[in-house]
Amino acid sequence: MKVRLTISFDGTSYHGWQIQKNAVTVQETLKNAVRKITGEDALITGCGRTDSGVHAINYVCSFDTSSRIPGERFAAALNANLPGDIVCKSAEFAADDFDAARSAVKKTYIYRILNTETPDVFERKYAWHYKYPLDVEKMREASKAFIGEHDFLGFASSGFTVKTTVRTVYSLDISEKNGLITLEITGNGFLYNMVRIIAGTLVMMGAELIDYKSAAEIIASRDRRRAGITAPPHGLFLKEVYYRNE
Amino acid sequence: MKVRLTISFDGTSYHGWQIQKNAVTVQETLKNAVRKITGEDALITGCGRTDSGVHAINYVCSFDTSSRIPGERFAAALNANLPGDIVCKSAEFAADDFDAARSAVKKTYIYRILNTETPDVFERKYAWHYKYPLDVEKMREASKAFIGEHDFLGFASSGFTVKTTVRTVYSLDISEKNGLITLEITGNGFLYNMVRIIAGTLVMMGAELIDYKSAAEIIASRDRRRAGITAPPHGLFLKEVYYRNE
C-alpha cells in the first residue's frame, strides 16, 4: 500500500528534509517514527528538499508499506513517536503511482519579513528581521515582473542539477500588518533557493538598494549577481503542495 | 539615575524571572548584560515574578545606575549583549521613586489555548494545546463571574505570602479565531498562578468537566479544590503593566 502523509515541521532544529550523514534531518526523524510503528525501513519520498531552518506548514511525502494501519490511526501513532517540532496532520492511502515529488504540479511558499526597528522574540525563528525602512508599495510593484513563465536562472543558487531553469510563477502577493510583511508565492516549481532569492531581491528593492523598476530586466539577464541576496532560511515556509486532479 | 526598561522575553528556556541558584533566569541574564554595559552590579527590580516557561510581551523592570548612557542607546547596547530570546524594547530615565513592582497599578495577561485536534508545531511553546471540544460561549458566560473585586483565595497556589487575597479583575475577554482561544485579563494584581488557574477553570467549564454556571459559587467558596487545574505555563504572556499617572 502507498501511504501519503501531510506533515508540518518547525525546521529550526533540522538540517533540512533530506537524510544526511552526521546531521539530524526531518526525513530521518520521520523514517525512525515509521519504523517504530510498521517495523519497516521505509523509503520516504518528500515533495522536495528544504534547507536547514526552513519550515513547513503542509509538507507532503509518501512511502510504501505492507502495514494495514488505517489512515487516521496511523497519524496518531506517528505523532506519539515524533518530537514536538514535527506533526503528522493526515495520513491516507494513495494510488500506487503517487509520488510526492513527481506528482506535484504546484507549490505555495510563504516568506515572512519583520520590518520593525526592534526584533520580536516570538518571531526570531519565523521571520527575517529587517530593521531598515521598506517601501512595500515598491516591492509590490516589482513583484509583478515575476509573474508568468520566465527563465529563473538568475534566481537560483548553484549546486543543483535541473533539466531547465524555466518556471512559471502563478501568483506573488505581498501583504503587510503591524510591520510583518508576508510574501506568498505560487508556482509550478521552484529552483534551488529561488523563493529566498526573490525575497532578498524584493527586500533590497523595498530598501532602495536595487531599483524596483529593474525587476523584469534583472530576471531577463539570467545573472545571479544582478539579483539580491538570498534571504535567510528561517523566514521561509512551504505552505501547500498541489497534485493533479485535486 | 533610575532607569526603567521594557523588555520582552520568550520564557521557554528560563526558570522564570527571579534569580535562583543553579538555574538560568531572565533577571540574571539581564543583570549580566547590564553589567557588561555599565560595569555595575545592578539590583534589577521586576514588575513581578513569572514562572518557568511563562512569556512576556512587555515586562517592566527598573534599577539604579550611575551610568549616563541615554535611553535609546542603552536599549541598543543591551540588545547587543542579550540572547535572542530577550529583547529590550525601550529604556528611559524614570523618577527616583519609581519601582517596577510597587508602582504598578494594573496588569494585563494573555492566556492562549489552541483548541484543535492536531497540535500546531509553531504554537507548541506559545499555546496550551487542548484537543477536546470547548464551548467558547460557556467559557465567556462563566468569565463574567470573575469581573470585579473578589477574594481569589481559591484561585491561588500555595507558597506565596500576601497580605490579602482580595483582587479586582477589571476585564476578562475571550476571543476565538481558527481554534485559537485567547483570554485577556486585566486586574489590579494577581495571586500566584491566579491567571493559570482561571484559565484552567474556564477550559474545564468549556469542556463541561465543571458546570459553567457555578463560577460565582466556586469563587465565593475560596476553595482551591473546587477550581480547575492550573493551566500549563507556556500559554501565559504578561502583556502590559500600568503605572500611576500613565
Side-chain angles (χ1 to χ4, degrees), chain A residues 79-120:
Chain A
N79 287 333
N81 286 287
L82 283 169
D85 50 6
I86 304 178
V87 163
C88 177
K89 294 170 118 176
S90 69
E92 49 192 325
F93 290 117
D96 280 337
D97 64 347
F98 179 80
D99 177 298
R102 284 184 211 154
S103 312
V105 291
K106 210 165 82 173
K107 278 181 191 162
T108 300
Y109 281 93
I110 278 178
Y111 195 93
R112 303 171 81 239
I113 300 139
L114 182 67
N115 187 35
T116 54
E117 209 182 313
T118 309
D120 179 334

Side-chain angles (χ1 to χ4, degrees), chain A residues 8-11 13 55-57 72 79 84-89 117-122 124-126 177 237, chain B residues 8-11 13 55-57 72 79 84-89 117-122 124-126 177 237:
Chain A
S8 176
F9 58 83
D10 178 332
S13 308
H55 313 290
I57 300 168
E72 228 171 276
N79 287 333
D85 50 6
I86 304 178
V87 163
C88 177
K89 294 170 118 176
E117 209 182 313
T118 309
D120 179 334
V121 292
F122 305 108
R124 72 193 189 284
K125 295 170 180 172
Y126 310 114
K177 198 183 167 186
F237 293 70
Chain B
S8 176
F9 58 83
D10 177 334
S13 308
H55 313 290
I57 300 168
E72 226 172 281
N79 287 332
D85 50 7
I86 303 178
V87 162
C88 178
K89 293 171 117 175
E117 210 183 312
T118 309
D120 179 333
V121 294
F122 305 108
R124 74 194 188 284
K125 295 170 181 174
Y126 309 114
K177 199 185 166 185
F237 293 71

